[in-house]
């Protein structure tokens, strides 16, 4: 039996590459659900730089052991539209990982 520890903690600069990797499948999923042309997708690394991302957003990461498996980030733009990121597919994967880790 494997015990995996799941935690949620504030974003740290070292998490940037994991966030970029998690963002793409979540954004592609969101585009598909909304019927938006997938060519509209831009990688997170092209939309943001890590320092600006940290300065502008309140961001949390979900980790299993020490591996970042999901994140949520938001910024105050005065309204809800266009105000955040959520890696839904990664959070679903977190749930699956945790369940699979419990034999």
């Amino acid at each position: 039996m494997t015990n995996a520890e799941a935690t949620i903690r504030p974003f740290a600069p070292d998490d940037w590459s994991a966030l970029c990797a998690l963002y793409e499948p979540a954004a592609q999923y969101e585009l598909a659900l909304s019927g938006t042309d997938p060519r509209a997708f831009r990688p997170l690394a092209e939309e943001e730089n890590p320092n600006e991302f940290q300065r502008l957003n309140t961001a949390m990461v979900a980790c299993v052991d020490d591996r970042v498996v999901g994140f949520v980030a938001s910024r105050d733009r005065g309204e809800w539209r266009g105000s955040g990121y959520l890696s839904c597919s990664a959070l679903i994967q977190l749930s699956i990982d945790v369940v699979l880790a419990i034999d």
Side-chain angles (χ1 to χ4, degrees), residues 23-83:
Y23 174 75
E24 183 169 348
Q28 295 287 357
Y29 180 71
E30 179 182 349
L31 290 172
L33 284 178
S34 68
T36 303
D37 187 336
R39 293 175 292 185
F41 172 75
R42 287 181 45 216
L44 185 59
E46 289 179 17
E47 287 189 21
E48 304 270 2
N49 93 29
N51 296 324
E52 278 295 288
F53 179 86
Q54 187 169 24
R55 187 180 71 75
L56 295 173
N57 290 284
T58 299
M60 302 295 286
V61 295
C63 302
V64 171
D65 295 325
D66 291 327
R67 191 175 110 232
V68 176
V69 295
F71 75 97
V72 62
S74 65
R75 64 179 70 162
D76 184 0
R77 291 187 175 172
E79 64 174 57
W80 65 270
R81 287 179 286 250
S83 295

